[in-house]
Amino acid sequence: STFYYRYHTLEDIYDWINRTANDYPDKVKAILVGSSYEKRPLYALKLSLNNRPNKKAMWIDCGIHAREWISPAFCLFFVHYSLSFYNVNTEMTQILDNMDFYVLPVMNPDGYKYTWTNRRMWRKNRSPQKGTSCIGVDLNRNFDANWCTTGASSNPCDETYCGSFPESEPESQAVANFLRSHKESIQIYLSIHSYSQMLIIPYSCSMDEAENHSELYEMVKTAADEIRRYYRNTYTYGAGAHIIYLAPGGSDDWAYNLGIKYSFTFELQDRGRYGFLLPPSHIQGACNEALLAVKTIVLKVMEKP
Ligand SMILES: Nc1ncc(C[C@H](C[SeH])C(=O)O)cc1Cl
Ligand SMILES: [Zn+2]
Ligand SMILES: [Zn+2]
Ligand SMILES: [Zn+2]
Ligand SMILES: [Zn+2]
């Protein structure tokens, strides 16, 4: 249906979450992982398409940055694709027989709403800060990974404001709490952003090399090669501090240090022509490219002894 090739309001996404959980009661469960500053629910959908016990799991969060609309669009697309192509597409069936998925479509609902009603280019959450009229924390600088060092700002008026302390925000705290309490089963972490077409591995918070760097590098290289092969599109890949910028407090670095050794951030389309304002006509291509990268990486993780 064309539903997945349009951007949706926050209300429509909440309706979609409830409808999807209701339509697939034995495969999909809506989990309330927390709430936003303005008390909106943070729902993650748990996809479990094969009731084999003790399956490993992958976490995918979308919409941490409000203006990156292609991100929630991908989470909706991914859930729809998984449910539609299970027992149809061989790779997807293999993956879903082995792996549960936790998909958080809108990690920053207050910010996302704000981009529809007030400022399209808003990035942060919407929590007020003491001693200033400036609003919002960059949730991807609020995690406890070299928190608020070079690459983040301690000025609440800046776009990369790190917050008053690590996990100071209800949204980042909710995700960190969920990952802490499910770290035994969650084997892969993925955070979806835009734009610049990059497949990012740890670390972004330091110039240090991740302990399994070569394994992670091989995964994102292969994924980028596949995207080039099937879609003729170019994604760059590598450690965040090397290919994008040194920046602390990111969710992927934090998840990696928690012990989720397969941790990634994707920056989806495009490379700047439309940027955050990617037209709806580009949603399908962007989602197909991201899906191919997810499948490539998950199949490689599943091959590991
Ligand atoms: N650990 C990280 N991983 C990815 C990024 C890039 C995103 C791209 Se919008 C950001 O700047 O928050 C930033 C950090 Cl701090
Ligand atoms: Zn809609
Ligand atoms: Zn649980
Ligand atoms: Zn982002
Ligand atoms: Zn970005």
Side-chain angles (χ1 to χ4, degrees), residues 65 68 123 193-196 245 267 276:
H65 287 145
E68 300 167 9
R123 170 183 166 98
H193 292 246
S194 78
Y195 62 92
S196 62
Y245 29 61
E267 286 262 68
F276 303 116

